[in-house]
Amino acid sequence: MGVYRAEYIWIDGTQPTQKLRSKTKIVPRGENPPIWAFDGSSTQQATGDKSDCVLEPVTVIPDPIRGGDDKLVLCEVMLVSGQPHPSNTRRASAEMGKKYASFDPWFGIEQEYTFFKGARPLGFPDNGFPAPQGGYYCGVGADEVFGRDVVEAHLDACLKAGIKISGINAEVMPGQWEFQVGPLTAPEIGDQLWLARWLLYRVGENFGVSATLYPKPVRGDWNGAGAHHNFSTNEMRESYDACVAAAEALGTRHALHIENYGFGIEERLTGLHETCSYREFRYGVSDRGASIRIPWQVAKERKGYIEDRRPNANVDPYVSSRLIIETVCGAASAKRSATPAREAVPA
Ligand code: ADP
Ligand code: MN
Ligand code: MN
Ligand code: MN
């Protein structure tokens, strides 16, 4: 065959939470996926009279669903003028990553999600509720674990596609799961997380199961779904003081981060279910009820990373990675320039 299939994937303009879209282009073998276009009036990205939006490929990976030479093509959405579309959050993440590249910022994101079959989470009975939370987290057995076939197929697809997935686990609520991506810098962490999400939805189709990133899929005494961001800079990987300074810096811009960590965050960050209320900011060692947790090994080894537990499952990782770099690296570089270099101090 002289052609391959390229699945162009992009992020739309749906509010309050953007959605993934994709369509297929047949490309001659040996050629890179070219710039393409779509009808922005069907994705909340344009009006009908000026409907064309542009797809600019940024990442091309093997398509593990179709296999062979077929590809997944993650795109940035552009205006016909060549400027980034207002819905394009990747560009700013890439620019922030570049601005603070000397800090070599790393992110490892824990993506929680919930499977639904029809109107109920997978594993919930048609009437009433399953047994209360307690046995489901990292559970085993058909009475406690729901959807493992889908999870395994998704893990397999991510590995075949070359996504830097670092683990999976069953979560606290039945039908709720987590996968981790990273550590990666920005904007790559956003690229890979969005691609892994696309694969999750796509693999779910084969099982007749949908996945949602909604932060509080079941009200009441059931855990919400978050996306903890594990973060480090080269300084933090060498020094505990830099880890504490990062947590302090995040505290100075708490409200701004909360506003940008995903729709419905007030429903999830209640202060119960292993969260800190969105109205408060706290950091602490090993504290799963804090906004920022410093893992115990980090406190012990006096270096490493911190965990921002605030982001919702439905966070845009381009937005969160941009903000975290700006807040932490911005504060660290202000400190650097306020501390005169030793040779600059007059004798
Ligand atoms: P938890 O104990 O909170 O459930 P997980 O094991 O699910 O933690 O996730 C930890 C994440 O932290 C992984 O994605 C891992 O890649 C990431 N990580 C580990 N070290 C670093 C680091 N130095 N900087 C950033 N992320 C890191
Ligand atoms: Mn985890
Ligand atoms: Mn988790
Ligand atoms: Mn965590």
Side-chain angles (χ1 to χ4, degrees):
M1 236 188 358
V3 296
Y4 68 94
R5 284 167 286 202
E7 190 71 10
Y8 281 60
I9 299 172
W10 74 96
I11 299 156
D12 77 0
T14 303
Q15 288 300 329
T17 303
Q18 292 172 266
K19 273 163 42 71
L20 284 161
R21 308 269 179 157
S22 75
K23 60 174 184 168
T24 309
K25 187 174 188 62
I26 308 302
V27 183
R29 175 160 298 174
E31 291 182 13
N32 291 326
I35 283 177
W36 202 17
F38 67 97
D39 167 17
S41 71
S42 300
T43 62
Q44 277 79 55
Q45 282 163 309
T47 52
D49 56 331
K50 289 191 185 117
S51 67
D52 282 341
C53 289
V54 174
L55 291 173
E56 195 173 296
V58 290
T59 306
V60 182
I61 61 172
D63 180 346
I65 308 288
R66 288 176 169 144
D69 290 333
D70 295 332
K71 299 282 188 270
L72 300 180
V73 182
L74 183 70
C75 299
E76 275 192 30
V77 176
M78 309 297 287
L79 298 166
V80 289
S81 66
Q83 291 297 110
H85 188 277
S87 64
N88 176 343
T89 54
R90 182 182 188 276
R91 196 48 76 93
S93 174
E95 281 164 8
M96 197 61 75
K98 207 170 186 182
K99 178 170 178 187
Y100 290 110
S102 68
F103 286 89
D104 193 17
W106 293 359
F107 293 87
I109 299 186
E110 303 169 51
Q111 176 70 68
E112 294 179 343
Y113 59 93
T114 311
F115 284 134
F116 270 71
K117 184 112 187 167
R120 303 184 72 79
L122 196 65
F124 275 56
D126 287 340
N127 292 297
F129 290 90
Q133 293 185 160
Y136 305 111
Y137 171 75
C138 298
V140 62
D143 53 337
E144 291 189 337
V145 167
F146 308 93
R148 196 187 296 274
D149 293 355
V150 197
V151 171
E152 290 291 330
H154 174 249
L155 175 60
D156 198 45
C158 286
L159 292 171
K160 284 199 176 109
I163 302 273
K164 197 168 173 187
I165 191 162
S166 66
I168 57 172
N169 61 267
E171 269 302 338
V172 175
M173 186 179 92
Q176 203 173 57
W177 293 82
E178 168 180 315
F179 63 85
Q180 302 104 33
V181 175
L184 287 162
T185 194
E188 286 79 8
I189 185 65
D191 295 342
Q192 295 219 7
L193 190 62
W194 278 112
L195 283 162
R197 287 172 174 180
W198 187 89
L199 282 169
L200 179 66
Y201 302 137
R202 177 62 191 83
V203 166
E205 287 178 15
N206 294 355
F207 293 84
V209 168
S210 65
T212 180
L213 305 185
Y214 198 77
K216 193 74 183 183
V218 185
R219 283 171 190 247
D221 207 11
W222 301 94
N223 272 36
H228 300 163
H229 282 40
N230 300 277
F231 176 75
S232 64
T233 60
N234 45 15
E235 292 179 345
M236 294 163 70
R237 293 189 287 273
E238 294 302 323
S239 135
Y240 188 64
D241 288 349
C243 295
V244 172
E248 292 278 350
L250 289 166
T252 65
R253 302 215 300 171
H254 179 56
L256 178 67
H257 282 250
I258 288 288
E259 276 164 35
N260 286 281
Y261 276 0
F263 178 76
I265 199 161
E266 311 79 12
E267 281 179 63
R268 176 177 147 262
L269 296 186
T270 56
L272 300 172
H273 304 112
E274 304 177 60
T275 70
C276 179
S277 164
Y278 70 95
R279 293 195 191 84
E280 289 170 46
F281 179 88
R282 252 196 350 261
Y283 68 87
V285 175
S286 283
D287 186 357
R288 286 174 195 269
S291 321
I292 308 288
R293 176 175 66 102
I294 300 178
W296 69 271
Q297 312 94 299
V298 175
K300 187 163 167 253
E301 292 172 13
R302 310 288 301 165
K303 62 180 184 181
Y305 64 98
I306 60 171
E307 178 192 47
D308 189 344
R309 301 177 58 80
R310 298 170 295 172
N312 269 355
N314 61 355
V315 70
D316 177 350
Y318 292 136
V319 172
S320 52
S321 59
R322 169 178 62 76
L323 266 176
I324 291 174
I325 293 176
E326 185 176 63
T327 300
V328 173
C329 300
S333 67
K335 203 180 264 176
R336 266 186 197 170
S337 43
T339 317
R342 188 164 293 168
E343 51 271 52
V345 179

